[in-house]
Amino acid sequence: MTVQFYRYLSHQEVTQVQKERKIHSTNPVTRYATWYTPTRYDNLQIAQAELALPAAPTHRAGPIPADAMPDFFVPLRAVAPAFGQPGGGVEACTRNPVWLYGLWNFAKSDWEP
């Protein structure tokens, strides 16, 4: 089975991702670190809890095949608790962009180009 990755996005990231067709952090404080998980979540509250996100995601990007991912500078690891969430999911991090072709919209239960 091929490993695939997902990025869970908040509404703040969606406009940038749709406009630029890439996932890439705009935060210089984190040196543009962007986190991904090999876990597909269909429930946004579970995604928020296991990935220790500050808010429930509004969109999902992926699946992105592992061979389309840039090198990770933080390899797969367990997600630590944060933002009042328990963590426990799996994540990895890169500082390079990932090019996209669409996003999954949880509210509409539909794929957006």
Side-chain angles (χ1 to χ4, degrees):
M1 184 163 104
T2 303
V3 176
Q4 299 175 324
F5 289 89
Y6 300 89
R7 169 81 178 156
Y8 292 86
L9 305 146
S10 64
H11 68 276
Q12 293 94 343
E13 284 182 281
V14 171
T15 301
Q16 175 218 349
V17 169
Q18 289 173 327
K19 179 181 174 187
E20 297 178 6
R21 295 290 189 205
K22 68 178 179 179
I23 301 171
H24 193 226
S25 173
T26 59
N27 188 348
V29 173
T30 65
R31 296 180 55 209
Y32 309 103
T34 308
W35 295 88
Y36 295 86
T37 181
T39 306
R40 177 185 164 142
Y41 294 100
D42 291 320
N43 180 299
L44 55 105
Q45 285 83 19
I46 293 173
Q48 179 183 7
E50 291 189 5
L51 298 175
L53 301 172
T58 59
H59 290 73
R60 174 181 64 224
I64 304 163
D67 61 0
M69 293 296 296
D71 292 337
F72 292 120
F73 78 91
V74 176
L76 287 172
R77 67 176 191 185
V79 177
F83 304 108
Q85 302 298 326
V90 177
E91 65 183 0
C93 187
T94 184
R95 290 191 176 114
N96 296 313
V98 171
W99 298 95
L100 294 180
Y101 303 99
L103 297 171
W104 179 260
N105 183 324
F106 281 105
K108 295 179 182 177
S109 293
D110 196 12
W111 185 253
E112 295 178 350

